[in-house]
Amino acid sequence: MSAKRNVDDIDVNKLVEDNDTGGRKPGPAVARLLMGVALVWSLFQLWIASPLPYMVSNILPVLNDTQTRAIHLAFAVFLAFMAYPASKRSPRDHVPALDWVFALAGAYAAAYIFIFYRELATRPGQPLPVDVWTAVVGVVLLLEATRRVLGLPMVIVALVFLGYTFAGPYMPDMMAHKGASLDRAMTHQWLTTEGVYGVALGVSSGFIFLFVLFGSLLDKAGAGNYFIKSAFALLGHMRGGPAKAAVVSSAATGIISGSSIANVVTTGTFTIPLMKRVGYRGDQAGAVEVSSSVNGQIMPPVMGAAAFLMVEYVGIPYIEVMKHAFLPAIISYIALFYIVHLEALKANMEGLPRRGNSTGSQRLVSFLMTVSGFLVLAGITYYVIGFIKSMLGDAAVPVIGGLLLAAYVGLLWFGSRQPDLQLDDPNAPVFELPETGPTVKSGLHYLLAVVVLVWCLMVERLSPALSAFWATMFMVFVMLTQKPITGFFRGDHRFAEQARAGWNDLIEGLVAGARNMIGIGVATAAAGIIVGTVSLTGVGLVMTELVEILSGGNLMLMLVLVALISIILGMGLPTTANYIVVSTLMAPVIVELGAQSGLIVPLIAVHLFVFYFGLLADVTPPVGLASFAAAAIAKHDPIKTGITAFYYSMRTAILPFLFIFNTQLLLIGLDGWPHLVLTVVIAIAAMLIFAAATQGYFVVKSRWYESVALLLVCFTLFRPGFWMDMVHPPFDEVRGEAMAQVIADAPPNTGKRVWVEGMNMDGKDIRKGVLVPLGAPGDARTRLASAGLTVMNDGDSLMVMGVRFGSVGEKLGVEQGFRITSLEVPAQRPRKEWFYIPALLLLAFVVLLQRARRAPAGPALKP
C-alpha cells in the first residue's frame, strides 16, 4: 500500500484525539467520572497556585513541592490509563477491568510519597521492602502510561537509561560504573526528588499546567478562531496569502494550544486547502503548516513549556529567558513568511478575493491607524496605571480592577456592533476572505487576557505561576460573562441560556486543559528517570568523553555532533521531555568541551542550542506526527511533506550555530538602544537573505554564484566578529594581582570570562574558560561569592576553596581546588560592525546583477 493511500485513510481529528487527549470514549457514567477527575485536577492546580492556601493554613495544611508533585502525577497516571487504550485493538467504548486496576495502582504508587510523607521522612536512605516494591510498580506503570500516551520512543530511552543503571559493571571501560542495587536505584528514582519527582515534574505541576489551562480556556472562549480569522482577513489577499496567513495564525494559536499536532489540525484545516487552491503543491502546503506550527514551540512566552524548565536548569529569571529567546523566534517566523512569499513569486501565484472594494492605500491607512491606536492606548495604560499605583499604593488594586472591567465591557460593546463572522468552507468552489475591519474588531476583548498575563509577568514581576493564575481567573470571568453581555448589547435577552452556555464552555475548558496535561505530566515524570540516572551514574561525563573522542577536539565538529545527537534524542518526544533529555545529556557537553576550546558563552545560549535541534525532530521523517497530520489534510505523501518541512526549517537549524558564536542575537552584550535596533534590523535582514539564498530566488531566479554570495553576506551580517577576529584577537589576557582589580571594577550584574585549571574529581587535568556572573559591586571575593565561588589569593592566581551547592559556579563545572589563572577583557579594536559595509556592498552588487536580468515591468503585482 502506498504512502499516498495510507495518508488518505488517516482521520486527522482522531489523530489529535489519540495523541493529545486520548482516543477512548466510554459510556456516560465513566465519561462523567473522567470529566470529574479532570475537573478536580484543574481546580486543584488553581488552588495551589492561588494565595488562598496561605489564608486558610490554620484549617488546611499548605502542601510543599514534593507533595504537590505526587498528587499531580497521580492525576496524570490515572487519566492516562483511563483515557488512552493499550493498543489499536483495545476497546474505545469502555474501560477494561485491567485498565481500572492499572489506573488505581498507578495513582496509588504515584501518590505514595504524599500519603506516607512523614513516615518516609523518618527513614531517609533506609527503605522498607514495601517502599521498594511500590517504587518498582510505580516505575513500570509510569512507563506503560508513557507508552500509551507518547508512544515507544520515550519508553525506549528511559529503559536504556534504567538498564545502564544496573549494567554499569559490565559496560566497556569508557562507560563503566559501579552499578546500583535495586533498592538504591528505586529509592533514588521514586522516593527522592532526584528522579521522577525532580525539577521537571515540579515545573509541570507548578508552572506548565497553569499556562496550558490558560491556553485551553482562551481557545474554548473563541480566541483560536479569532486569531485564524484575523490572519486571513489581514493577509489572505496577498500573493500566496493563505500560506502567509498560516504562518501568522500558527504563531498566534501556537501560544495557546501547546501542541504542534493540534496546531496543525486547528489552523491547517483552513489553510492547507486554500494554499493548494492558490498554487502550492500538496507537500509545500503541508510543510508550511508544519514548519509554522512547530516554530510555535520556540516562541515566547511559553515555548512549548520549555521556558519554565529553562528557568530551573539555567538559573536565570523567567523574564530573562523570554528576552533571550525572543529575537531568534521572531526572525525565524519572518524568514518563513518570506520563504512562502518567494515560493509564491516563483509560481506567479495570486491571493484570495476580498469581499470589500477598498483600495490598497485605504487598507494601509486603516492598518496603520489601528496599530497607532494600539500603541497610544498601551502607552496611556502604562503611565495611567503607574500614576494610580504611585498615588494610591495598595488601594490602587480595586481601582485598576475597575478600569480593567470597564475596558472589557467597552471592548465587548465595540465587538457586539460587528457581525458574527465565520470562515467559509475552504473546499467550497468560491471562497472569499472575511472583511478586515469587522473581523479584527470582533474579538479585541480576548487580547485583554494576554495583556493581564504579560502585565503581571513583565511589569508587576510576579512569578510565572501567579501571573498565569491571575490571567486564568480573568479568563474564567470572561467565559462566564462574554455571552450574556454581548447578548445584552445586541438586544438578545436570553440571559439564562447564554449564562448556561458560558458555564458549559468553562467546564469544557477546565476539563480540556487537564486532558491536554496528561501527556506533559507523564512525559516530565518519565524524563525524570533519565535525569535520575545521570545523577546516579555520572553518564553525562560519558557523553562528554564520547563527543570529545569523535570530534577530535575540533570545535565546529563537536557542535555538529551535538546537533545531530540532539535531533536523534528528540525523535518521537514531546517538547517538554525533548528539552529535559537534550539539556541533561548534551548541554553539559557543549559547556565542558566548548570551555576547553575557548568557546565561553552564557548557559542560556547552550540550552537554546540543544533545544532548537531537539525540536527539529518534530518535523523530521519518519516520526514527525505533525507532518503526518498535515499530509493527511493535504492528501499528499507524508514522507515528502516531512522532507519539505525540514527544508523550510533550515533557517531554524542555522540560528543556533549563529547565536552560539554571536550572543548579541540573544540580546546579550548590547550597548544601549541604538545597538539593539541595529542588531534586530541586521538579524532580520540576514535571515531574509539566507532564505533567498536557499530558495534560489531573490529579485529573480539566482545563479549558483549569486546564491554563494548571498550566503557569504548572510554569514557576515550574522557573525561579523569572525572576520574581525582574523584582524585582531577579541580579548586581552589579564593575570596576577590585576585580576582582582578588574573583577572589582566590573559593572554591576555583568560577567567575566575567566580561565580555570586543576584536577577534577576523576583525576583528569582540566583547563577551561567559563563565564562567571558577578553580582553587586564589591571586592573580588565578594563578587565571586555571588556566583557560589569562595576564593583566596594563591600567588599569581586565585584558589577556589569552595563551590556552593546548586550555584552558578557548580553549573559551570568549577570544582574545589581549581585555580583561576587568568581572565579576559575586551580588546581595544575597531568595532566588528564595520564588516557590515563590505557585506552590504556585495549584496547591492547581487541586486544589480539580478535587476539587469529582470523582465520588463508589467502590471503592478500584489504584495
Side-chain angles (χ1 to χ4, degrees):
M1 185 179 288
S2 68
K4 176 67 166 63
R5 186 175 174 186
N6 280 336
V7 79
D8 287 340
D9 294 337
I10 293 176
D11 182 341
V12 292
N13 292 319
K14 184 176 182 300
L15 184 61
V16 174
E17 282 185 354
D18 291 346
N19 194 66
D20 286 345
T21 60
R24 184 173 278 157
K25 295 182 178 179
V30 178
R32 283 194 293 271
L33 173 65
L34 296 186
M35 181 176 175
V37 172
L39 180 61
V40 171
W41 191 10
S42 289
L43 295 177
F44 167 74
Q45 296 289 162
L46 286 173
W47 169 262
I48 62 174
S50 72
L52 293 176
Y54 300 96
M55 298 179 182
V56 296
S57 58
N58 58 332
I59 301 174
L60 294 173
V62 178
L63 302 177
N64 62 33
D65 288 343
T66 304
Q67 293 170 316
T68 58
R69 293 172 191 181
I71 297 173
H72 178 83
L73 182 58
F75 275 114
V77 172
F78 179 83
L79 289 173
F81 282 110
M82 297 294 286
Y84 288 81
S87 66
K88 292 182 179 179
R89 296 182 179 180
S90 299
R92 262 63 173 171
D93 58 348
H94 71 276
V95 181
L98 187 61
D99 283 1
W100 279 98
V101 174
F102 285 167
L104 294 173
Y108 173 77
Y112 187 80
I113 198 172
F114 165 72
I115 298 171
F116 300 102
Y117 185 78
R118 291 190 177 183
E119 290 85 348
L120 291 170
T122 62
R123 51 176 192 268
Q126 298 176 329
L128 299 177
V130 67
D131 299 336
V132 175
W133 287 111
T134 301
V136 171
V137 171
V139 168
V140 171
L141 291 179
L142 172 61
L143 292 177
E144 168 59 13
T146 304
R147 183 194 67 81
R148 295 187 182 203
V149 179
L150 306 175
L152 279 174
M154 185 73 201
V155 177
I156 292 172
V157 173
L159 286 174
V160 167
F161 277 81
L162 275 178
Y164 180 74
T165 300
F166 300 111
Y170 313 104
M171 302 297 288
D173 287 344
M174 188 179 76
M175 303 177 64
H177 63 93
K178 66 179 181 179
S181 65
L182 180 66
D183 286 12
R184 187 183 176 205
M186 291 300 101
T187 301
H188 188 82
Q189 295 286 7
W190 201 259
L191 301 179
T192 72
T193 55
E194 294 293 322
V196 170
Y197 296 96
V199 170
L201 189 62
V203 172
S204 177
S205 64
F207 301 144
I208 298 175
F209 192 105
L210 292 170
F211 278 84
V212 171
L213 182 60
F214 172 72
S216 176
L217 294 180
L218 198 58
D219 185 51
K220 189 63 68 175
N225 186 46
Y226 170 69
F227 291 151
I228 297 172
K229 289 191 299 184
S230 298
F232 267 93
L234 290 167
L235 303 170
H237 67 286
M238 295 182 175
R239 187 179 290 275
K244 295 173 180 176
V247 173
V248 173
S249 61
S250 293
T253 57
I255 294 174
I256 65 174
S257 75
S259 166
S260 297
I261 185 172
N263 197 1
V264 166
V265 175
T266 301
T267 58
T269 302
F270 294 102
T271 60
I272 291 174
L274 293 175
M275 281 189 267
K276 293 177 66 178
R277 175 176 295 189
V278 298
Y280 289 95
R281 298 193 314 267
D283 63 301
Q284 290 177 324
V288 169
E289 186 58 52
V290 170
S291 299
S292 53
S293 296
V294 172
N295 265 167
Q297 307 297 289
I298 67 173
M299 176 66 73
V302 178
M303 297 170 62
F308 314 111
L309 291 163
M310 286 183 186
V311 170
E312 300 296 328
Y313 287 171
V314 180
I316 62 176
Y318 175 73
I319 298 297
E320 292 295 307
V321 172
M322 286 201 299
K323 182 184 79 172
H324 298 320
F326 179 73
L327 183 56
I330 286 296
I331 62 178
S332 184
Y333 263 113
I334 291 175
L336 181 59
F337 191 92
Y338 186 53
I339 285 172
V340 300
H341 178 67
L342 293 176
E343 294 282 15
L345 285 177
K346 288 190 284 186
N348 197 29
M349 299 178 194
E350 297 294 332
L352 294 170
R354 283 183 172 276
R355 290 179 181 172
N357 296 318
S358 57
T359 65
S361 59
Q362 289 173 331
R363 292 194 297 271
L364 179 62
V365 170
S366 176
F367 176 74
L368 292 177
M369 289 181 65
T370 302
V371 172
S372 301
F374 274 122
L375 293 176
V376 171
L377 182 61
I380 292 174
T381 301
Y382 179 81
Y383 287 107
V384 166
I385 292 180
F387 175 75
I388 292 173
K389 289 177 66 178
S390 64
M391 292 293 294
L392 301 180
D394 293 338
V397 174
V399 176
I400 295 172
L403 292 175
L404 179 64
L405 178 61
Y408 168 65
V409 174
L411 289 176
L412 277 180
W413 171 81
F414 188 59
S416 68
R417 304 183 65 185
Q418 315 305 321
D420 190 10
L421 300 173
Q422 295 291 334
L423 278 175
D424 295 340
D425 180 3
N427 296 303
V430 178
F431 180 95
E432 290 185 336
L433 295 172
E435 296 183 49
T436 304
T439 301
V440 174
K441 296 172 185 176
S442 65
L444 292 176
H445 63 285
Y446 295 126
L447 301 180
L448 278 180
V450 180
V451 169
V452 170
L453 176 63
V454 174
W455 182 275
C456 291
L457 283 170
M458 306 196 70
V459 179
E460 299 296 335
R461 295 299 178 104
L462 300 180
S463 69
L466 197 55
S467 299
F469 169 77
W470 289 119
T472 302
M473 295 310 297
F474 180 75
M475 277 307 306
V476 170
F477 173 75
V478 168
M479 296 187 74
L480 292 175
T481 60
Q482 65 172 347
K483 290 184 177 180
I485 295 175
T486 302
F488 173 78
F489 287 138
R490 289 179 172 173
D492 184 354
H493 301 306
R494 296 174 297 168
F495 299 133
E497 181 180 338
Q498 292 158 352
R500 279 196 303 271
W503 174 260
N504 291 335
D505 286 344
L506 172 61
I507 298 300
E508 290 177 7
L510 292 171
V511 171
R515 295 286 290 263
N516 289 335
M517 272 300 300
I518 298 172
I520 296 176
V522 298
T524 50
I529 294 176
I530 299 165
V531 177
T533 302
V534 171
S535 63
L536 185 61
T537 65
V539 67
L541 297 176
V542 174
M543 297 298 297
T544 301
E545 292 180 8
L546 177 63
V547 174
E548 184 177 18
I549 292 171
L550 293 176
S551 65
N554 184 283
L555 180 61
M556 283 304 301
L557 183 56
M558 180 270 289
L559 291 174
V560 170
L561 285 172
V562 169
L564 291 175
I565 296 173
S566 296
I567 292 176
I568 294 171
L569 290 173
M571 285 187 176
L573 303 187
T575 303
T576 45
N578 190 327
Y579 171 67
I580 295 167
V581 172
V582 296
S583 64
T584 302
L585 295 176
M586 303 316 301
V589 174
I590 299 180
V591 171
E592 191 64 29
L593 298 184
Q596 295 175 23
S597 303
L599 178 66
I600 308 175
V601 294
L603 272 177
I604 184 65
V606 174
H607 280 251
L608 286 174
F609 181 94
V610 297
F611 177 56
Y612 270 50
F613 280 106
L615 281 179
L616 283 179
D618 286 352
V619 301
T620 307
V623 293
L625 278 178
S627 296
F628 274 87
I633 299 172
K635 302 186 184 306
H636 205 83
D637 182 355
I639 300 299
K640 188 173 182 181
T641 301
I643 292 172
T644 306
F646 186 81
Y647 179 61
Y648 286 165
S649 299
M650 285 175 59
R651 74 204 187 285
T652 308
I654 71 158
L655 274 172
F657 284 98
L658 296 169
F659 63 58
I660 205 80
F661 288 106
N662 182 11
T663 54
Q664 289 177 356
L665 295 175
L666 303 179
L667 305 184
I668 296 173
L670 300 180
D671 304 324
W673 282 100
H675 197 187
L676 170 63
V677 172
L678 177 65
T679 299
V680 172
V681 171
I682 290 296
I684 293 173
M687 185 53 77
L688 296 181
I689 293 168
F690 176 80
T694 54
Q695 290 294 306
Y697 195 100
F698 192 30
V699 179
V700 294
K701 186 176 180 180
S702 299
R703 292 171 178 166
W704 70 267
Y705 53 84
E706 292 171 337
S707 294
V708 171
L710 290 175
L711 288 174
L712 181 61
V713 171
C714 166
F715 177 77
T716 304
L717 294 180
F718 268 129
R719 198 186 166 201
F722 178 82
W723 308 110
M724 184 58 75
D725 292 349
M726 293 182 176
V727 178
H728 192 291
F731 298 99
D732 292 331
E733 196 172 53
V734 176
R735 291 180 175 271
E737 297 179 358
M739 289 193 298
Q741 190 61 45
V742 170
I743 293 173
D745 294 341
N749 301 316
T750 57
K752 280 298 176 188
R753 299 163 56 96
V754 304
W755 283 88
V756 298
E757 297 180 5
M759 182 179 293
N760 66 9
M761 295 179 64
D762 297 322
K764 183 179 180 181
D765 289 327
I766 297 293
R767 183 180 187 274
K768 63 180 181 180
V770 293
L771 184 64
V772 178
L774 305 175
D779 58 26
R781 291 185 181 181
T782 302
R783 304 198 71 177
L784 289 173
S786 67
L789 303 179
T790 302
V791 301
M792 65 174 292
N793 292 327
D794 182 28
D796 289 339
S797 62
L798 297 173
M799 176 69 73
V800 178
M801 303 303 295
V803 181
R804 190 172 68 246
F805 178 76
S807 66
V808 175
E810 184 191 45
K811 293 178 185 293
L812 293 172
V814 181
E815 299 181 15
Q816 182 177 347
F818 281 14
R819 290 180 299 115
I820 300 176
T821 57
S822 64
L823 60 82
E824 295 175 340
V825 295
Q828 296 295 320
R829 64 175 190 172
R831 295 185 66 92
K832 60 185 179 181
E833 285 79 9
W834 283 109
F835 280 93
Y836 290 160
I837 295 176
L840 294 175
L841 290 175
L842 179 58
L843 176 64
F845 180 66
V846 173
V847 171
L848 291 175
L849 287 178
Q850 296 205 351
R851 285 177 65 89
R853 299 202 308 273
R854 190 167 63 178
L861 298 177
K862 294 184 180 181

